[in-house]
Amino acid sequence: MNKKNKQILLVSPRGFCAGVTRAVDVVLETLKTYGSPVYVKHEIVHNKYVIKDLEQKGTIFIEDVENVPSDRPLIFSAHGVSKKIVHQSKNNKSIVIDATCPLVTKVHVQARKFYEEDIKIILIGHRNHPEVEGTMGQLPEGSIYLVEKISDIDKLDFNRDDRIGFITQTTLSIDDTNSIILELRRRFPNIKSSPKEDICYATTNRQNAIKAHASKCDSFIVIGSENSSNSNRLVEVAINSGCKNAHLLEDASKLNLEEYNKANIIGISSGASVPDILVEEVVDKFEEHFNIKIEHAIYGEENVSFKLPKELRK
Ligand code: SF4
């Protein structure tokens, strides 16, 4: 039987960002230096494949830092942690290694700066996301006001001329965040912001790349885990940019090829916590059933990298 022709548009930048690469390297280097097991507070990055691989190598992912044996290393995930967790870990005398992405730390620093200058702080982000919990936990409870959507601005008990500043989660939708910021600026004309964008370069590049190419595609696949904020945002961007048939896919084992029978052009990208092997496996599965032609849709190059924490530098 003749295989149907399909075109696959591999969109980039995609996959691992500098913060995720560093966080995974921190775990691998800690295993090398201290042996197993090593403990990680929360999933080091939100991707099932990465987590399973690190578990097999001797990593134990935990939420409660109190249970970490004091002679074993404890790593904080790329999303960052609250000051309370830092203090608990130090009291516990664990060997603490911080894999918080430097771009998340930058937001923490800005929050503290606003606080010291007596500026009321608004954080635009998603409630219960570990990065948001970590950022809010940099300061005493009640110091940061969370805004998830425009209607939350109504709940702020601020006056127009109060000293106010905003920061954001690093992995938000650029467009949704801009609408919230526009409304904040309308209501509080003197509102201050971080000197540089808080939404990180990787989130921005992956969203812009999809924005530029999604409308050409009949279907769009974003490879990523359900709990990955940046991956979920990429699906929304694909839909909003003109490809209504866009979905999040964990990996090739979840791919239902029948859904792509009618699609001629299939776009593929992946979240910032996704290793490229998962993209390759999805492409391979398409190749088994269809006659595929691969086109690379490159939006730009990335050359960002971060040093390992000082405890692990040789
Ligand atoms: S998505 Fe951005 S903020 Fe998050 S780990 Fe990657 S570079 Fe850092």
Side-chain angles (χ1 to χ4, degrees):
M1 198 178 76
N2 276 348
K3 286 179 177 178
K4 279 188 183 163
N5 291 334
K6 303 275 167 199
Q7 187 182 340
I8 288 192
L9 204 62
L10 273 182
V11 176
S12 65
R14 64 170 183 275
F16 268 22
C17 60
V20 165
T21 302
R22 176 179 182 266
V24 172
D25 286 349
V26 165
V27 179
L28 295 173
E29 280 301 314
T30 308
L31 280 164
K32 244 197 245 171
T33 309
Y34 294 93
S36 64
V38 304
Y39 290 76
V40 180
K41 159 81 178 136
H42 196 72
E43 293 186 350
I44 186 81
V45 299
H46 285 156
N47 183 264
K48 284 203 175 102
Y49 177 94
V50 173
I51 297 303
K52 207 167 152 202
D53 180 54
L54 293 175
E55 277 174 343
Q56 281 164 356
K57 291 178 170 139
T59 309
I60 298 173
F61 294 94
I62 44 113
E63 288 303 329
D64 189 353
V65 296
E66 301 281 359
N67 298 332
V68 178
S70 58
D71 61 340
R72 296 312 307 158
L74 167 64
I75 300 168
F76 297 147
S77 79
H79 315 97
V81 295
S82 65
K83 287 281 181 215
K84 188 174 157 205
I85 301 289
V86 174
H87 293 142
Q88 269 178 0
S89 308
K90 288 193 175 154
N91 288 342
N92 204 17
K93 297 194 184 61
S94 309
I95 305 155
V96 176
I97 301 172
D98 190 358
T100 304
C101 176
L103 300 181
V104 174
T105 304
K106 179 179 91 63
V107 179
H108 294 179
V109 170
Q110 185 61 46
R112 241 181 338 264
K113 214 165 157 228
F114 280 151
Y115 183 72
E116 281 158 12
E117 290 172 19
D118 213 13
I119 291 171
K120 293 176 177 166
I121 306 162
I122 292 167
L123 168 62
I124 306 171
H126 297 295
R127 192 178 299 282
N128 298 331
H129 188 278
E131 182 187 322
V132 165
E133 288 176 354
T135 301
M136 296 194 70
Q138 295 305 303
L139 297 172
E141 214 179 318
S143 309
I144 298 183
Y145 300 82
L146 184 64
V147 165
E148 293 186 276
K149 49 192 183 309
I150 286 183
S151 59
D152 291 341
I153 301 174
D154 293 336
K155 297 176 203 153
L156 298 170
D157 191 15
F158 295 167
N159 294 317
R160 187 180 161 87
D161 295 320
D162 282 353
R163 280 161 58 73
I164 305 166
F166 73 85
I167 49 178
T168 83
Q169 192 180 332
T170 56
T171 51
L172 298 177
S173 146
I174 300 169
D175 293 339
D176 293 351
T177 309
N178 280 342
S179 317
I180 296 175
I181 293 172
L182 214 66
E183 185 57 16
L184 282 171
R185 290 199 192 283
R186 192 182 71 76
R187 301 213 200 171
F188 311 110
N190 301 324
I191 195 165
K192 296 180 189 309
S193 61
S194 305
K196 272 193 177 175
E197 290 284 326
D198 294 329
I199 294 181
C200 76
Y201 82 93
T203 301
T204 307
N205 291 348
R206 280 150 193 68
Q207 289 183 16
N208 283 340
I210 291 181
K211 246 187 218 175
H213 297 290
S215 63
K216 301 174 206 159
C217 303
D218 303 305
S219 291
F220 204 98
I221 296 172
V222 175
I223 301 168
S225 290
E226 266 175 33
N227 60 346
S228 161
S229 168
N230 81 84
S231 305
N232 280 295
R233 300 296 80 76
L234 294 181
V235 176
E236 292 165 7
V237 169
I239 294 171
N240 294 337
S241 307
C243 184
K244 297 288 168 244
N245 193 18
H247 302 282
L248 189 69
L249 180 75
E250 182 73 48
D251 56 34
S253 71
K254 305 274 170 22
L255 180 65
N256 178 2
L257 287 165
E258 279 181 22
E259 286 177 17
Y260 298 91
N261 260 333
K262 288 191 183 146
N264 293 320
I265 304 177
I266 301 152
I268 299 181
S269 182
S270 57
S273 46
V274 177
D276 223 41
I277 178 142
L278 298 186
V279 176
E280 287 161 24
E281 286 174 1
V282 168
V283 173
D284 287 349
K285 196 160 170 185
F286 271 109
E287 204 154 28
E288 283 168 22
H289 296 266
F290 300 111
N291 185 24
I292 66 164
K293 185 173 152 239
I294 296 176
E295 197 186 312
H296 293 270
I298 303 165
Y299 184 76
E301 300 290 328
E302 287 181 346
N303 50 14
V304 180
S305 63
F306 298 126
K307 282 187 197 153
L308 287 174
K310 61 179 181 324
E311 298 85 349
L312 297 173
R313 280 183 227 149
K314 300 226 164 64

